């Protein structure tokens, strides 16, 4: 017993040293290294990071945050009951009694024939090899995942009645694609404000398998097989080994991945201070460092952050191109004043976006009508479609909700970019274009997905200040 006090003192010293070490790791050059690439031109674009920071943080983010709290954008119709098409569902910790909308293959914006091609069978066989992957540690995380990953499915009876009028209104509109699942009994509205994207405790083999399947099986890779390891994703490898179209695809997915990681760091659940009181949500600078410091990410972290700006530019360009269509679309909820306010907010946002002088030029993609380029575009679509289906394999309902929404939003942006008779920074789509329509679900996903990217860039500034 006489050794208890020294032992306790030793543990206290170790804890203090550990905390102090974490703080030191963010002093001086360490913080600068993390943000070292967040300056100058965004890769494969002429726009500068500094211009996007100013545009987003000073103009877009405030308007978008207000707009997304409106009824039209806060309720997302989704199906969380669809089973994973690639491996057995291992989401034993997730609550299965709540509903969220799944991005069906028919809803992928860039359409391809609805057939089970040889390529799709080949992809499925690859996933099946990972069936029954190691499950150690699941039991220890179940309680945390159940609490943090469960959806709040609270919807008032009054609001449910309003949804029926929304449905009747939407059914009078022409649709660009046939969304078979819209009338499924498993489709339910979810209040996004009650289910914010943040840390859920979802970690371990399941999410690693999700991202490994996305990067290794459905993301274009450099000719050299770097694998899903410390060397995969280094920008130098991409630049030297991949064409523009493949780089665009990779950076889109990397930017989405980065945005999700930033939200987990920005809204992180800390245990109660000193062991008393309640746990609390706050910014986790050390978690941010673990994910983006070059010294801890094999030099990949800063490029991952920069890829976020690339993905932001793609969706910014899509909103600019669809501005004439969205201004004439109408945002129906049945409340005339609410609808007018939403339309005004949308118009204000789109005016700011359209005035931005340096948009991404999608006409640089898939140039020419060669057989090789047609094949590449087909692969581009197939890979994206598979990623949307992989979202059905996410083992945490809240994570699946936001994964589905953001992938559908990105797919809607791609649909916009490659619609219409012309492409390029000055091309637009209009409501008069009979071959172009967006469903309510696509519009809600488009704006909320862009909102996620916007909030990520805003959060980067917060972490930059915390690290200084």
């Amino acid at each position: 017993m006489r050794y208890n006090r020294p032992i306790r003192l030793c543990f206290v010293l170790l804890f203090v040293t550990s905390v102090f070490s974490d703080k030191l790791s963010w002093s001086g050059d360490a913080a600068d290294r993390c943000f070292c690439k967040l300056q100058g031109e965004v890769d494969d674009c002429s726009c500068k990071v500094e211009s996007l920071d100013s545009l987003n943080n000073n103009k877009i983010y405030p308007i978008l945050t207000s707009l997304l709290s409106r009824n039209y954008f806060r309720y997302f119709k989704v199906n969380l009951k669809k089973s994973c098409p690639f491996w057995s569902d291992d989401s034993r910790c997730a609550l299965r009694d709540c509903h969220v909308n799944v991005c069906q293959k028919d809803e992928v914006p860039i359409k391809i024939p609805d057939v089970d091609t040889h390529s799709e069978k080949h992809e499925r066989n690859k996933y099946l090899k990972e069936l029954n992957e190691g499950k150690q540690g699941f039991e220890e995380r179940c309680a945390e995942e159940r609490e943090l990953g469960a959806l709040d499915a609270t919807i008032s009876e009054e609001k449910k009645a309003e949804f029926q009028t929304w449905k009747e209104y939407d059914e009078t509109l022409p649709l660009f694609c046939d969304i078979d699942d819209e009338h499924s009994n498993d489709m339910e509205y979810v209040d996004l404000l009650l289910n914010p994207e943040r840390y859920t405790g979802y970690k371990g083999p399941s999410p690693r398998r999700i991202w490994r399947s996305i990067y290794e099986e459905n993301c274009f890779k450099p000719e050299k097989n770097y694998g899903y390891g410390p060397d995969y994703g280094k920008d130098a490898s991409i630049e030297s080994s991949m064409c523009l179209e493949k780089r665009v695809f990779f950076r889109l997915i990397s930017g989405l991945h980065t945005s999700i990681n930033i939200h987990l760091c920005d809204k992180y659940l800390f245990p109660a201070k000193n062991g008393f009181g309640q746990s609390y949500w706050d910014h986790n600078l050390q978690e941010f460092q673990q994910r983006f410091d070059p010294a801890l990410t094999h030099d990949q972290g800063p490029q991952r952050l920069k890829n976020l700006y690339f993905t932001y530019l793609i969706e910014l360009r899509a909103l600019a191109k669809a501005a004439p269509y969205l201004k004439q679309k109408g945002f129906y909820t049945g409340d005339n004043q609410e609808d007018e306010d939403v339309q005004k907010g949308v118009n204000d946002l789109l005016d700011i976006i359209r005035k931005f002088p340096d948009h991404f030029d999608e006409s640089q993609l898939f140039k020419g009508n060669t057989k090789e380029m047609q094949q590449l575009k087909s692969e581009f679509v197939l890979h994206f479609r598979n990623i949307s289906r992989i979202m059905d394999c996410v083992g945490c309902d809240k994570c699946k909700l936001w994964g589905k929404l953001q992938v559908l939003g990105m797919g809607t942006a791609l649909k916009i970019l490659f619609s219409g008779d012309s492409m390029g920074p000055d091309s637009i789509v209009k409501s008069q274009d009979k071959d172009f329509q967006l469903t309510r679900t696509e519009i809600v996903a488009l704006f909320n997905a862009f909102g996620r990217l916007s909030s990520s860039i805003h959060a980067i500034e917060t972490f930059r200040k915390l690290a200084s």
Side-chain angles (χ1 to χ4, degrees):
M1 296 294 296
R2 61 187 179 186
Y3 297 109
N4 285 352
R5 185 174 179 182
I7 289 174
R8 287 199 300 270
L9 179 59
C10 181
F11 277 117
V12 170
L13 289 173
L14 285 172
F15 173 77
V16 172
T17 302
S18 173
V19 172
F20 186 61
S21 175
D22 284 342
K23 296 295 183 183
L24 283 178
S25 65
W26 270 94
S27 63
D29 294 340
D32 292 337
R33 288 198 310 268
C34 193
F35 302 103
C36 63
K37 289 194 176 183
L38 293 187
Q39 56 187 338
E41 291 186 354
V42 179
D43 299 302
D44 290 319
C45 303
S46 58
C47 180
K48 292 186 176 181
V49 167
E50 295 86 348
S51 298
L52 289 178
D53 277 333
S54 177
L55 172 72
N56 181 73
N57 298 341
N58 298 328
K59 297 180 179 180
I60 288 181
Y61 177 77
I63 294 179
L64 198 52
T65 300
S66 174
L67 195 60
L68 295 181
S69 68
R70 298 285 187 171
N71 284 345
Y72 186 94
F73 294 108
R74 70 180 286 182
Y75 295 103
F76 182 58
K77 196 176 184 184
V78 71
N79 173 9
L80 279 183
K81 289 187 175 181
K82 189 178 179 184
S83 61
C84 173
F86 300 119
W87 55 74
S88 61
D89 184 12
D90 61 357
S91 56
R92 294 180 296 162
C93 301
L95 294 179
R96 313 308 299 169
D97 59 350
C98 45
H99 311 284
V100 182
N101 188 31
V102 170
C103 179
Q104 301 283 358
K105 62 182 180 180
D106 290 337
E107 294 177 308
V108 176
I110 306 174
K111 303 299 291 179
I112 60 176
D114 186 17
V115 294
D116 191 10
T117 64
H118 174 75
S119 296
E120 287 178 305
K121 292 178 181 177
H122 179 65
E123 296 296 322
R124 184 179 294 113
N125 289 336
K126 289 181 181 179
Y127 299 133
L128 292 176
K129 290 180 181 179
E130 298 188 7
L131 190 63
N132 297 324
E133 190 177 30
K135 300 174 182 177
Q136 291 183 351
F138 263 47
E139 289 76 10
E140 294 148 16
R141 300 197 310 273
C142 277
E144 182 181 42
E145 289 188 23
R146 284 196 182 101
E147 180 179 358
L148 299 178
L151 286 170
D152 185 337
T154 304
I155 301 288
S156 68
E157 291 301 319
E158 180 183 7
K159 190 58 61 180
K160 289 179 181 178
E162 289 182 20
F163 292 155
Q164 180 60 31
T165 67
W166 296 10
K167 175 175 175 289
E168 293 170 356
Y169 176 83
D170 292 341
E171 287 178 348
T172 65
L173 302 175
L175 300 179
F176 180 86
C177 57
D178 199 355
I179 307 177
D180 294 333
D181 201 39
E182 273 294 311
H183 304 292
S184 168
N185 291 331
D186 292 332
M187 296 286 286
E188 296 287 346
Y189 281 99
V190 173
D191 188 337
L192 298 176
L193 297 187
L194 292 180
N195 296 279
E197 185 184 23
R198 59 188 181 185
Y199 174 80
T200 65
Y202 182 52
K203 53 191 174 183
S206 180
R208 285 200 297 268
R209 179 166 59 178
I210 296 293
W211 287 112
R212 186 168 62 247
S213 298
I214 288 174
Y215 281 114
E216 290 194 345
E217 305 294 348
N218 287 290
C219 214
F220 295 104
K221 300 186 290 291
E223 295 301 321
K224 182 179 178 181
N225 183 17
Y226 289 96
Y228 187 65
D231 290 328
Y232 183 60
K234 287 186 178 180
D235 191 58
S237 301
I238 298 174
E239 292 290 351
S240 61
S241 304
M242 299 173 70
C243 65
L244 174 61
E245 290 77 11
K246 292 182 179 181
R247 293 199 305 270
V248 165
F249 193 101
F250 176 86
R251 290 194 174 110
L252 275 173
I253 302 305
S254 175
L256 171 62
H257 194 181
T258 295
S259 179
I260 291 171
N261 282 333
I262 289 175
H263 293 135
L264 304 186
C265 301
D266 192 44
K267 292 181 173 60
Y268 193 92
L269 185 63
F270 287 90
K273 296 180 179 179
N274 302 320
F276 299 100
Q278 295 183 339
S279 55
Y280 63 100
W281 299 94
D282 204 351
H283 315 293
N284 190 330
L285 185 60
Q286 273 63 50
E287 185 68 23
F288 185 88
Q289 178 190 19
Q290 288 289 332
R291 295 174 186 267
F292 300 112
D293 191 317
L296 302 175
T297 60
H298 305 277
D299 293 323
Q300 295 182 52
Q303 184 60 44
R304 291 171 182 168
L305 289 174
K306 200 166 189 179
N307 288 341
L308 165 65
Y309 287 78
F310 180 84
T311 305
Y312 181 92
L313 265 176
I314 292 291
E315 298 196 14
L316 184 79
R317 166 64 189 132
L319 285 167
K321 185 171 184 175
Y325 173 89
L326 293 169
K327 284 190 173 187
Q328 299 176 42
K329 170 72 175 176
F331 296 85
Y332 176 82
T333 64
D335 182 331
N336 291 336
Q337 186 59 54
E338 172 79 2
D339 295 349
E340 289 179 12
D341 292 342
V342 170
Q343 186 68 67
K344 183 180 184 305
V346 169
N347 291 349
D348 291 344
L349 176 67
L350 295 176
D351 286 341
I352 292 173
I353 291 174
R354 293 214 68 191
K355 289 177 183 177
F356 184 66
D358 206 358
H359 285 286
F360 178 79
D361 183 0
E362 72 274 12
S363 65
Q364 299 303 308
L365 300 175
F366 305 110
K367 280 187 171 181
N369 196 29
T370 64
K371 183 178 180 181
E372 291 77 13
M373 197 55 68
Q374 290 177 353
Q375 176 63 28
L376 178 60
K377 192 170 185 178
S378 177
E379 291 177 11
F380 194 101
V381 173
L382 177 60
H383 284 293
F384 186 84
R385 178 178 177 178
N386 273 339
I387 289 173
S388 74
R389 300 173 72 194
I390 289 172
M391 292 299 103
D392 291 321
C393 304
V394 175
C396 157
D397 278 358
K398 195 172 290 184
C399 307
K400 182 186 288 187
L401 164 68
W402 286 104
K404 279 299 188 184
L405 181 147
Q406 290 174 86
V407 169
L408 180 58
M410 182 182 292
T412 303
L414 293 174
K415 169 182 176 176
I416 293 169
L417 291 187
F418 298 108
S419 294
D421 296 331
S422 62
M423 294 189 295
D426 297 322
S427 65
I428 59 174
V429 290
K430 299 175 291 186
S431 59
Q432 292 90 341
D433 296 336
K434 299 302 181 182
D435 60 341
F436 179 83
Q437 293 292 331
L438 295 178
T439 67
R440 178 190 296 266
T441 301
E442 287 175 321
I443 294 174
V444 172
L446 175 66
F447 277 81
N448 275 282
F450 184 61
R452 295 288 76 209
L453 299 174
S454 174
S455 66
S456 293
I457 290 179
H458 187 266
I460 284 178
E461 187 61 28
T462 299
F463 283 112
R464 194 197 301 268
K465 292 177 181 178
L466 290 174
S468 61

